[in-house]
């Protein structure tokens, strides 16, 4: 009899989850678990919570949804709190498991979690499954991935790679094993969400994708993607992708169906193109690993000095620069910000305020409900000129950006605090 532990990480779904499917096939008894590590969610070195309330809410909703789905198939999700290595190995000992299966995450902290687990003499089997393309289909080795995105994309297109097919959904889950609870206690997570526009979990993800396609929004994506306000100017897939509530392959496969039904257009191509950026930042991790997490990134110039007072102005939306202040208010109020404004506020912090890029990247990590380790690190390095940008960094002119994207001031009026007025969330009114 084989007993396995399945450790859910950033793959909180049952559809297109090859690692979980494999665990279900290999096990006679299966213990699905999730671990909340309070230490990892504690304060950053910059003095704020690493996982602020919006991210917390979205995560908890996603976990609850997964639990409901597992229960509907006769299984369950056991949620523990504690240091990952201690908790996962205790759980595997409690059920006498022969191995732990999980998704592979190729970022330093996540690699270290698995390394520590392996040192506690439990076998850990990891499965790479978070990209749209299968790494072994790529027409080059990881070491030879082109540094420049355009060259990467051209090679992928020349090889005719679009996406890897999603695997069939899990239909049968082995029973959960009996286990001794005195050693380890599960916790109850209460997801009291105040997020109006984004509901965590695989169920909401599938509904969101369906309505996005049913309403033919891909057709206008290319024209609207740099706008700032509303739910429809961009896909808003990112929160669900970040926790793996849906896979990039599922989205790409649905886009492919969409193209067969309605024809391919600029919009469908650009959505795929953006998902390819997501893959690119993932695959760069296989090439550069921890170098991407040095304070210099891939460059050799040290970060600027950290100024606490300036940082508080930037985070709190008190710089005196309207577009920046409005954007930073939107970010802390909703946990989401358009791609264009992410670029502009990042540039403003790095090039206008001359701040340490690492503190600002950590602020994004804390606030964003779509925080994704690869995309956040990759984009910050890119803008800061410490990644693979052939232009050596991206400085945006705020006056020009304001004129191009908010010439009538609508966005700034929506988010700037007026004296005596509370800031309404734009998305609340949708
Ligand atoms: P759409 O425009 O609809 O794009 C579709 C999908 O393509 C997105 O869901 C996303 O998965 C992918 N994508 C789009 N743009 C990018 C990009 N530049 N890099 C990587 N993938 C992309 N994205 C995150 O998911 N998590 C992050 O933590 C994150 N941090 C960022 C930090 C900075 C400084 C910047 C400039 C960008 C960051 N992004 C991050 C990328 C991008 O801003 C978001 O993916 C996008 O705004 C999400 O909204 P959407 O789903 O509507 O995107």
């Amino acid at each position: 009899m084989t007993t396995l532990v399945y450790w859910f990480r950033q793959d909180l779904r049952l559809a297109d989850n090859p690692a979980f499917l494999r665990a279900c096939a290999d096990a006679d008894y299966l213990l699905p678990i999730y671990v909340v590590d309070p230490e990892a969610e504690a304060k950053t070195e910059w003095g704020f919570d690493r996982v602020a309330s919006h991210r917390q809410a979205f995560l908890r909703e996603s976990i609850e949804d997964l639990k409901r789905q597992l229960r509907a198939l006769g299984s369950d999700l056991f949620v523990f709190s504690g240091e990952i290595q201690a908790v996962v190995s205790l759980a595997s000992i409690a059920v006498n498991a022969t191995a732990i299966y999980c998704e592979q995450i190729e970022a330093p902290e996540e690699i270290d979690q698995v390394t520590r687990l392996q040192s506690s003499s439990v076998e850990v089997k990891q499965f790479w499954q978070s990209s749209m393309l299968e790494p072994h289909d790529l027409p080059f080795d990881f070491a030879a991935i082109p540094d420049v995105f355009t060259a990467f994309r051209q090679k992928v297109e020349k090889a005719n790679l679009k996406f890897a097919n999603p695997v069939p959904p899990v239909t049968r889950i082995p029973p959960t094993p009996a286990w001794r609870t005195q050693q380890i206690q599960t916790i109850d997570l209460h997801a009291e969400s105040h997020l109006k526009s984004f509901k965590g979990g695989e169920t909401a993800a599938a509904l969101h994708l369906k309505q996005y396609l049913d309403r033919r929004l891909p057709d206008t994506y290319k024209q609207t993607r740099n706008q700032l306000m509303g739910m429809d100017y961009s896909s808003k897939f990112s929160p669900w992708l970040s926790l793996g509530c849906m896979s990039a392959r599922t989205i790409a496969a649905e886009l492919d169906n969409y193209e067969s039904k309605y024809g391919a257009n600029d919009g469908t191509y650009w959505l795929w193109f953006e998902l390819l950026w997501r893959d690119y930042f993932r695959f760069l991790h296989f090439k550069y690993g921890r170098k991407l997490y040095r304070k210099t990134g891939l460059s050799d110039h040290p970060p600027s000095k950290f100024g606490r007072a300036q940082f508080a102005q930037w985070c709190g939306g008190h710089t005196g620069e309207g577009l920046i202040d409005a954007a930073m208010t939107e970010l802390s109020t909703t946990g989401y910000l358009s791609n264009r404004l992410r670029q502009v506020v990042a540039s403003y912090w790095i090039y206008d305020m001359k701040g340490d890029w690492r503190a600002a990247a950590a602020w994004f990590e804390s606030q964003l409900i779509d925080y994704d380790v690869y995309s956040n690190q990759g984009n910050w390095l890119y803008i800061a000129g410490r990644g693979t940008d052939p232009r050596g960094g991206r400085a945006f002119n705020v006056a020009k950006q304001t004129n191009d994207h908010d010439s009538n001031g609508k966005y700034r009026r929506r988010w700037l605090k007026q004296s005596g007025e509370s800031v309404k969330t734009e998305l609340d009114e949708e």
Side-chain angles (χ1 to χ4, degrees):
M1 285 289 166
T2 305
T3 300
L4 298 175
V5 169
Y6 189 81
W7 172 30
F8 281 98
R9 301 176 91 192
Q10 310 298 330
D11 59 331
L12 304 181
R13 65 177 182 276
L14 298 187
D16 189 34
N17 189 330
F20 188 65
L21 193 66
R22 181 71 185 276
C24 290
D26 291 355
D28 298 298
Y29 292 98
L30 183 67
L31 186 76
I33 67 168
Y34 184 85
V35 185
V36 178
D37 182 351
E39 274 297 300
E41 290 188 359
K43 292 226 178 306
T44 63
E45 61 182 294
W46 315 99
F48 49 84
D49 287 345
R50 193 162 179 197
V51 185
S53 61
H54 298 306
R55 240 184 102 195
Q56 292 268 5
F58 194 76
L59 172 65
R60 275 154 176 64
E61 282 176 358
S62 302
I63 294 168
E64 284 207 337
D65 184 66
L66 180 64
K67 195 181 180 84
R68 271 194 298 275
Q69 301 216 61
L70 286 163
R71 283 185 171 171
L73 288 173
S75 180
D76 207 342
L77 182 68
F78 298 87
V79 182
F80 301 105
S81 171
E83 199 267 317
I84 299 233
Q85 181 217 339
V87 170
V88 180
S89 48
L90 267 179
S92 65
I93 291 165
V95 295
N96 210 9
T98 45
I100 296 157
Y101 284 23
C102 63
E103 160 170 286
Q104 178 180 353
I105 305 178
E106 204 55 28
E109 277 183 34
E110 289 79 359
I111 292 172
D112 290 346
Q113 288 168 353
V114 171
T115 310
R116 282 198 296 274
L117 255 183
Q118 281 162 335
S119 71
S120 57
S121 76
V122 198
E123 190 196 354
V124 183
K125 276 200 186 171
Q126 300 186 80
F127 300 80
W128 178 262
Q129 56 181 9
S130 72
S131 49
M132 173 173 71
L133 303 176
E134 218 20 276
H136 62 242
D137 290 342
L138 293 172
F140 34 71
D141 293 335
F142 280 138
I145 287 180
D147 277 348
V148 177
F149 174 75
T150 305
F152 167 79
R153 175 183 57 78
Q154 284 166 343
K155 289 200 167 173
V156 165
E157 287 184 329
K158 200 162 170 221
N160 240 333
L161 290 181
K162 282 192 86 179
F163 60 93
N165 282 322
V167 299
V170 175
T171 49
R172 187 203 71 91
I173 305 178
T176 56
W179 54 298
R180 288 170 280 128
T181 48
Q182 58 273 45
Q183 281 179 319
I184 178 166
Q185 298 289 329
T186 57
I187 56 163
D188 276 330
L189 285 180
H190 298 291
E192 266 181 41
S193 183
H194 42 279
L195 299 171
K196 297 280 186 276
S197 303
F198 298 99
K199 183 161 176 51
E202 181 173 17
T203 309
L207 287 172
H208 178 75
L209 176 60
K210 184 174 180 317
Q211 66 79 32
Y212 187 79
L213 300 176
D214 285 351
R215 292 167 62 222
R216 302 284 305 267
L217 290 172
D219 296 356
T220 47
Y221 173 75
K222 176 133 190 274
Q223 286 81 54
T224 59
R225 56 179 292 272
N226 278 326
Q227 292 177 6
L228 313 183
M229 292 170 75
M231 273 300 275
D232 294 342
Y233 64 84
S234 67
S235 73
K236 308 296 189 297
F237 293 153
S238 58
W240 291 285
L241 277 171
S242 73
L243 292 180
C245 301
M246 64 179 164
S247 73
R249 303 184 306 202
T250 298
I251 297 175
E254 288 296 331
L255 273 176
D256 197 52
N257 288 337
Y258 183 95
E259 287 184 340
S260 316
K261 208 163 148 191
Y262 304 115
N265 57 42
D266 278 0
T268 54
Y269 174 77
W270 274 85
L271 272 167
W272 175 84
F273 174 100
E274 294 300 344
L275 288 168
L276 193 66
W277 268 103
R278 181 178 177 274
D279 268 19
Y280 164 74
F281 286 131
R282 281 171 153 63
F283 296 148
L284 281 182
H285 278 69
F286 286 100
K287 178 169 180 179
Y288 289 112
R290 284 170 206 265
K291 285 187 188 157
L292 297 169
Y293 291 79
R294 298 188 305 207
K295 60 185 174 197
T296 53
L298 301 180
S299 76
D300 51 13
H301 43 283
S304 307
K305 220 164 150 261
F306 175 65
R308 194 165 292 282
Q310 290 98 306
F311 188 60
Q313 284 170 356
W314 182 78
C315 295
H318 304 300
T319 65
E321 185 62 72
L323 190 67
I324 303 300
D325 293 351
M328 296 309 284
T329 307
E330 182 188 3
L331 174 61
S332 58
T333 310
T334 66
Y336 181 84
L337 194 62
S338 63
N339 181 60
R340 174 52 45 142
L341 286 177
R342 290 182 203 205
Q343 293 173 318
V344 175
V345 298
S347 155
Y348 190 77
W349 170 249
I350 294 166
Y351 299 108
D352 295 77
M353 297 183 81
K354 311 258 181 278
D356 186 329
W357 69 276
R358 297 170 304 160
W363 181 252
F364 268 36
E365 173 176 354
S366 159
Q367 300 297 314
L368 283 174
I369 55 168
D370 67 14
Y371 169 69
D372 172 276
V373 62
Y374 311 99
S375 295
N376 200 49
Q377 196 72 8
N379 277 287
W380 274 97
L381 287 169
Y382 208 80
I383 290 184
R386 291 154 200 280
T388 51
D389 182 7
R391 285 205 243 151
R394 300 277 154 148
F396 288 76
N397 178 311
V398 182
K400 180 177 184 312
Q401 294 299 320
T402 306
N403 197 39
D404 287 353
H405 301 289
D406 191 37
S407 57
N408 62 9
K410 199 169 168 209
Y411 177 79
R412 276 163 293 155
R413 275 196 302 282
R414 177 66 68 91
W415 290 107
L416 286 176
K417 285 183 183 148
Q418 309 285 324
S419 53
E421 278 183 32
S422 62
V423 174
K424 272 199 211 149
T425 75
E426 158 218 334
L427 299 171
D428 282 354
E429 293 179 3
E430 294 287 310

